[in-house]
Amino acid sequence: MKLNLLAATIISLLAAQIAAAQEASDAPPSKPKDDQPVEQIVVTGSNIRGVQKEGASAVQVITAKQIHASGKTNLTDILRSVSANSGNSFDETLTGSFSAGTAGVSLRGLGQGSTLILLDGKRVANYATSYDQQHTFVDINSLPLAAVERIEVLKDGASAVYGSDAVAGVVNIILKKNYQGVEVGGSASRSASGTGQTERDYHILAGKGDLNKDGYNIFFSLDGQQRDQLDQSDVSYLKDSDYRNQQGGRLNWNVTNFYNNDQTQGFAHAVGPVQRVPWSAVSPGKQGDVWAYNPAEYNTLMPSINRYHALLHGTLQINDQVQAYSELLYSHSNTSFVFGPPLSVGTGLRAWNNATQSLTNINTTLPVGNPANPYGQPTPITTNLWDVGLRNKTDSIEFGRVLVGAKGSVGNWDWDTSALHSESRLQESVTNFGNRYVFQQLLADGGYDFTKTNNPSSAVDALRLITLRPAVSRLNSVDATITGPILTLPAGDLGFAGGVQFRNESINANTSTAILSGTELRPAISIARGSRNVSAAYGEFKVPLLSTLEANVAGRLDHYSDFGTAFSPKLSLRYQPTNWLLLRSTLSRGFRAPSLLEITNSSGVGYSSAVDPYDPVTPNKPHSYTGIIASNPKLKPERSKNFDFGVVLSPWVNTSLSVDFYRINQTDVIGQDSDSYIVQHPDLYPGRIERDAQGHLQTVYNQFQNQSSLTTSGLDFNLRQILHTGDLGKFSLSGGWTSVLSYKKPRAAGLDAVDATGTNIFFALPKWRGTTALTWDYHDVSSTLSWYYTGGYKIDEDARQDDFPTSVKSNTTFDLSIAYTGIKNTTLTLAAQNLLNQKPSWDASAPYFDSSLYDPRGRFITLGASYKF
């Protein structure tokens, strides 16, 4: 990565800090002051310090102790257990995306681009490309776990404080700052459900210097994870791809090896790993037998990973008023998996024409005399390039952030200024794609016989194509903030915070030279090139109206060089008439700036399937198609109005119960029309669908546009109860549950909104999702039992076939972790994820399950140990 200059700067600064720190350690320690004031902290969602544990906005805090007690080994699994992360959220199981091996957060189901991810309150670069050819997002797999002090999840819009992307909320990952000592640890995990998958994790923490006593701190952390690949063929209930024992289930095999676009006109003998099966088993209602193969061995559920994160952080107390800080974060990840079966050739085979920015049809008709042609006339063929072999993908991801800054105080005023550079870089390699020009030559001269699997190695090697796709996303930012009291009112100080920020965001997500030259067959494309400058000014007032009533008024003005200006105001009220009752409410406006893929020079080509009522052979069945998506430089930002109201009850010291209502109304939502709706209503979308000469679906065209509105509302429930029982130890009960009351948006521009709550119309969105954990601390043993509930949902009518069930059932899993600290400086842990080995809920429209909700691993056992010097 091109971080050398900044890295040298930060290392020099750290060296200077160490030298100064050594001088500081030789000086006599300062004497503690009497009557120390209560420490004030900055909570995510505000720039003004305060002392309240519960503010005007709902903030869920996940501590390092809770993370350890969960038994989970990465940030992704921790954040996916947050109930507000309730839909449209993906992790590395989404191997068919352009960002395989990554993970994001989607609070309120608004998408990963509408949840802002911060690291110590400051931004980091988005991932090098999008996951869906539209939304950019922060890859949380690139962020460290071992260095985390706590995670604050703000479940409220915060554009008035942070700007774009904070429409649904903010996830602020806060790292350790004043760590002393050395800790080393590791764990080994293995599947207990028969898949054979294993995982290894390790971490090192090292810190020197106490900020309060020595005036400095140097902190280093390193953590890493290695995990085996999990293929569909490894999972007992998925390996046969035969779901006929489930309602609406099929023999989910792929039909191949046939002539004349007629599946029943199969090859004379088996070619490749195929079997002769009844067509009705694959597609109910059809007659005859077909050649088909089991796709399980070509489908990776979880990629293999080998990643690590390294962090170096330094803080130096220059004098009583000024503190300098600096940080160098670097992570690297290799992700590998099976991308798909040997390339399919037949109707719909295409190559990219970069000059016209369109797809070119590639002829797959066997000429007379071709060794694979049994007929005396030109004959279309559909098969796979079996000799070329399955396609494998490897993603190499580098991520980094360099941060330097200083903060201090002048009188009663605090200030903070910093500069950072962050970037995400991708190198993606895919093997065994097909060479278009070699394919056309071999088709013409018969040099490759499609009806056998022992073709000459010279022909096979010539057909094989290895592609390399590079991409990089960069962020440069400078910001300054000042905060303090303006004057004293009868009920307290009138607090103020203000600041400015300047950012440059850029992306250069390219595609392979083989695609650009038109060489690669059946290309998938996500190209984006663009950059923009962002300048912002923001202010915030904390107004004590009464001793029990406090108001917060904030506003932020952002100017983007590509679309213009957005202003985001916010009003919050916090009313606490007694120690046990708190009422809170916020009203705000926010925005999401169009992503650089949506608004700059970008092109997207992908592959999907839709139920096609007009297919000439198998109508009303899923059929594959190519989707082409275009950017739109005339886009406006998405605007939002947020309203939240909550009640917090604390009848006893160790008891807290909160209920918060949220409502978000978005306008000018950027999107594309539903491909499925276009296919089923072609008369409403002239020119948007392309079919071949026989009438089979080929291409669906789309473009990003400000097309609709979206309204969602719901309730968050949170509970915390601590019970001290003396000889029996301490019991801690905590829970976080979310009920989605409504989620309304139109399927396509111009249509009436539909309520997708508890359906999978747009994505799987259960009405209920929740986590409850019970921890028992007894002498040297601490154990935690966690219960995870995912509600059921109805299957979208447009995706449901006649024999499908109408809904998907709810699902419950349990985790158990046990920690033993009876050995000096040592912690031993034993954890079981999915203790009862619960399968995901059957979804006939998926199938087998929706990967945005469920983990396919089954029971997973982890044994770990750590030692602190």
Side-chain angles (χ1 to χ4, degrees):
M1 299 176 69
K2 297 182 179 179
L3 298 174
N4 296 338
L5 180 58
L6 285 171
T9 302
I10 195 172
I11 292 171
S12 300
L13 179 58
L14 287 170
Q17 289 175 342
I18 294 172
Q22 185 61 47
E23 295 179 7
S25 65
D26 294 336
S30 58
K31 296 181 180 180
K33 297 180 180 180
D34 296 330
D35 302 323
Q36 290 277 5
V38 178
E39 182 184 6
Q40 295 189 332
I41 60 172
V42 176
V43 178
T44 302
S46 174
N47 286 310
I48 301 178
R49 292 180 176 272
V51 298
Q52 301 101 336
K53 292 183 178 180
E54 293 282 358
S57 296
V59 178
Q60 179 180 346
V61 179
I62 306 171
T63 65
K65 182 179 179 181
Q66 291 172 316
I67 291 172
H68 182 76
S70 73
K72 299 185 183 301
T73 56
N74 54 67
L75 274 176
T76 300
D77 290 342
I78 295 294
L79 291 173
R80 285 178 72 81
S81 66
V82 174
S83 63
N85 188 15
S86 57
N88 209 9
S89 172
F90 300 97
D91 63 5
E92 53 212 10
T93 60
L94 191 66
T95 54
S97 74
F98 287 92
S99 56
T102 65
V105 179
S106 173
L107 297 178
R108 310 304 187 201
L110 297 186
Q112 296 180 167
S114 293
T115 298
L116 180 63
I117 307 295
L118 301 175
L119 192 64
D120 282 331
K122 301 182 186 296
R123 290 179 179 254
V124 295
N126 285 323
Y127 183 64
T129 186
S130 73
Y131 68 93
D132 60 353
Q133 301 176 321
Q134 177 179 4
H135 294 104
T136 52
F137 67 102
V138 171
D139 174 26
I140 56 177
N141 279 338
S142 294
L143 304 179
L145 176 64
V148 172
E149 180 70 25
R150 67 185 184 276
I151 302 171
E152 295 181 353
V153 182
L154 173 67
K155 304 174 186 179
D156 183 17
S159 291
V161 177
Y162 302 112
S164 178
D165 306 337
V167 172
V170 179
V171 175
N172 188 9
I173 301 167
I174 299 171
L175 306 179
K176 301 179 189 296
K177 297 295 186 302
N178 197 25
Y179 185 88
Q180 294 105 42
V182 177
E183 177 180 306
V184 296
S187 65
S189 307
R190 186 175 183 85
S191 167
S193 60
T195 67
Q197 188 186 33
T198 64
E199 179 183 306
R200 285 78 58 200
D201 301 86
Y202 62 88
H203 72 267
I204 301 172
L205 303 177
K208 179 176 174 58
D210 186 323
L211 270 175
N212 299 319
K213 296 180 180 179
D214 305 319
Y216 78 98
N217 179 263
I218 301 294
F219 173 58
F220 170 78
S221 77
L222 174 69
D223 65 76
Q225 185 178 51
Q226 298 175 332
R227 189 184 62 215
D228 298 338
Q229 178 175 308
L230 179 67
D231 292 331
Q232 182 182 333
S233 56
D234 298 324
V235 181
S236 60
Y237 60 93
L238 300 174
K239 65 181 181 180
D240 295 327
S241 301
D242 188 350
Y243 311 128
R244 287 175 288 182
N245 62 334
Q246 301 283 351
Q247 183 180 355
R250 310 276 190 266
L251 180 65
N252 198 42
W253 287 23
N254 295 339
V255 179
T256 188
N257 293 359
F258 55 89
Y259 297 108
N260 293 313
N261 300 311
D262 182 352
Q263 286 90 333
T264 61
Q265 292 188 32
F267 291 177
H269 55 273
V271 180
V274 298
Q275 296 181 33
R276 201 71 173 163
V277 300
W279 195 6
S280 60
V282 180
S283 184
K286 293 301 175 182
Q287 302 296 319
D289 293 337
V290 294
W291 291 114
Y293 66 91
N294 181 0
E297 65 179 288
Y298 307 119
N299 182 26
T300 293
L301 301 178
M302 299 184 75
S304 69
I305 58 170
N306 187 352
R307 69 168 64 103
Y308 66 87
H309 315 91
L311 172 75
L312 182 62
H313 188 280
T315 310
L316 174 64
Q317 193 71 41
I318 296 175
N319 54 43
D320 290 343
Q321 286 78 39
V322 180
Q323 185 181 97
Y325 58 90
S326 53
E327 173 194 281
L328 177 61
L329 169 65
Y330 176 80
S331 68
H332 185 273
S333 175
N334 278 326
T335 303
S336 300
F337 57 97
V338 177
F339 184 62
L343 186 69
S344 173
V345 295
T347 301
L349 188 64
R350 312 284 188 85
W352 182 247
N353 186 326
N354 199 49
T356 62
Q357 293 288 289
S358 62
L359 290 168
T360 298
N361 289 314
I362 305 301
N363 182 31
T364 57
T365 299
L366 299 171
V368 176
N370 187 287
N373 188 352
Y375 305 102
Q377 60 186 21
T379 303
I381 188 174
T382 299
T383 187
N384 296 75
L385 301 180
W386 298 112
D387 282 350
V388 174
L390 56 79
R391 290 167 290 166
N392 291 290
K393 180 184 284 189
T394 299
D395 284 1
S396 178
I397 305 164
E398 290 182 287
F399 174 83
R401 187 177 83 167
V402 176
L403 170 70
V404 292
K407 59 183 179 180
S409 60
V410 178
N412 293 326
W413 289 80
D414 296 327
W415 56 270
D416 189 340
T417 182
S418 63
L420 67 85
H421 170 78
S422 181
E423 68 178 55
S424 171
R425 185 177 291 271
L426 167 70
Q427 291 284 337
E428 179 182 272
S429 175
V430 184
T431 63
N432 295 342
F433 269 110
N435 187 308
R436 163 196 179 179
Y437 301 109
V438 172
F439 172 81
Q440 290 175 317
Q441 180 62 41
L442 292 173
L443 185 72
D445 63 20
Y448 183 98
D449 188 344
F450 297 98
T451 60
K452 67 179 186 179
T453 55
N454 58 345
N455 282 281
S457 59
S458 57
V460 174
D461 291 341
L463 268 174
R464 285 195 178 110
L465 194 64
I466 299 176
T467 65
L468 182 65
R469 180 170 72 101
V472 62
S473 169
R474 296 187 178 93
L475 170 69
N476 294 293
S477 179
V478 176
D479 48 324
T481 302
I482 187 168
T483 179
I486 296 178
L487 54 88
T488 300
L489 299 176
D493 289 338
L494 172 65
F496 171 78
V500 294
Q501 184 180 78
F502 304 95
R503 302 198 312 269
N504 174 265
E505 304 169 348
S506 65
I507 191 170
N508 185 4
N510 216 324
T511 191
S512 70
T513 56
I515 288 179
L516 296 177
S517 64
T519 304
E520 182 180 320
L521 290 170
R522 204 177 292 278
I525 302 172
S526 181
I527 301 174
R529 299 186 191 91
S531 66
R532 61 186 173 201
N533 296 318
V534 184
S535 56
Y538 47 91
E540 180 182 355
F541 293 90
K542 181 178 286 187
V543 187
L545 302 175
L546 301 170
S547 61
T548 57
L549 178 62
E550 181 180 272
N552 186 290
V553 181
R556 177 175 171 126
L557 183 68
D558 288 82
H559 178 76
Y560 281 70
S561 59
D562 49 10
F563 72 80
T565 300
F567 177 66
S568 306
K570 184 172 185 177
L571 171 65
S572 305
L573 293 174
R574 183 185 186 278
Y575 178 56
Q576 189 168 11
T578 69
N579 290 333
W580 58 269
L581 175 63
L582 168 66
L583 304 178
R584 59 191 179 192
S585 184
T586 65
L587 182 65
S588 65
R589 291 179 62 91
F591 76 101
R592 183 184 76 85
S595 73
L596 290 172
L597 277 86
E598 294 167 332
I599 200 171
T600 61
N601 180 26
S602 67
S603 302
V605 176
Y607 301 92
S608 189
S609 63
V611 174
D612 183 7
Y614 303 103
D615 186 84
V617 179
T618 54
N620 297 310
K621 304 295 181 185
H623 291 275
S624 299
Y625 66 89
T626 303
I628 297 182
I629 307 170
S631 61
N632 185 350
K634 297 181 180 180
L635 289 174
K636 298 180 292 184
E638 297 176 351
R639 305 282 183 169
S640 66
K641 294 180 181 178
N642 297 55
F643 172 72
D644 294 78
F645 177 80
V647 179
V648 183
L649 299 174
S650 300
W652 303 282
V653 174
N654 293 320
T655 303
S656 176
L657 172 66
S658 66
V659 181
D660 291 275
F661 170 81
Y662 69 88
R663 186 178 188 274
I664 304 172
N665 180 28
Q666 285 185 290
T667 56
D668 291 326
V669 174
I670 300 169
Q672 50 185 315
D673 294 322
S674 165
D675 285 355
S676 295
Y677 194 85
I678 294 173
V679 170
Q680 295 181 25
H681 303 86
D683 54 318
L684 300 178
Y685 302 94
R688 300 278 292 276
I689 294 176
E690 183 178 303
R691 297 181 180 274
D692 65 13
Q694 291 76 38
H696 298 288
L697 181 64
Q698 295 292 294
T699 309
V700 178
Y701 294 92
N702 241 316
Q703 184 182 33
F704 299 122
Q705 53 187 311
N706 295 104
Q707 63 174 188
S708 63
S709 61
L710 186 157
T711 301
T712 183
S713 63
L715 293 167
D716 289 327
F717 302 87
N718 288 278
L719 168 68
R720 180 184 62 84
Q721 175 68 61
I722 299 176
L723 178 64
H724 296 275
T725 63
D727 292 342
L728 293 178
K730 182 179 76 171
F731 292 87
S732 303
L733 179 67
S734 62
W737 287 70
T738 296
S739 171
V740 181
L741 300 179
S742 68
Y743 191 97
K744 298 179 180 179
K745 64 178 288 189
R747 291 177 181 266
L751 300 179
D752 292 335
V754 296
D755 192 347
T757 311
T759 75
N760 64 354
I761 291 177
F762 304 112
F763 50 86
L765 183 63
K767 287 186 177 181
W768 282 95
R769 198 160 181 267
T771 301
T772 300
L774 177 64
T775 298
W776 180 25
D777 294 311
Y778 181 74
H779 296 295
D780 297 324
V781 178
S782 178
S783 58
T784 299
L785 178 66
S786 301
W787 168 37
Y788 302 98
Y789 175 82
T790 301
Y793 54 90
K794 295 180 180 179
I795 297 177
D796 178 19
E797 288 295 326
D798 286 353
R800 197 173 73 83
Q801 299 182 41
D802 292 340
D803 59 341
F804 280 13
T806 58
S807 62
V808 175
K809 294 180 180 179
S810 61
N811 198 281
T812 293
T813 60
F814 293 91
D815 292 351
L816 176 65
S817 67
I818 302 172
Y820 175 69
T821 56
I823 304 174
K824 184 178 180 181
N825 299 331
T826 302
T827 301
L828 303 177
T829 58
L830 174 65
Q833 309 291 314
N834 195 354
L835 180 66
L836 302 181
N837 199 28
Q838 176 67 36
K839 294 180 183 177
S841 294
W842 161 251
D843 184 345
S845 65
Y848 182 100
F849 60 91
D850 190 291
S851 62
S852 70
L853 297 178
Y854 297 113
D855 185 330
R857 287 181 294 182
R859 186 187 296 117
F860 213 67
I861 306 298
T862 300
L863 180 63
S866 63
Y867 183 82
K868 188 168 184 178
F869 297 89

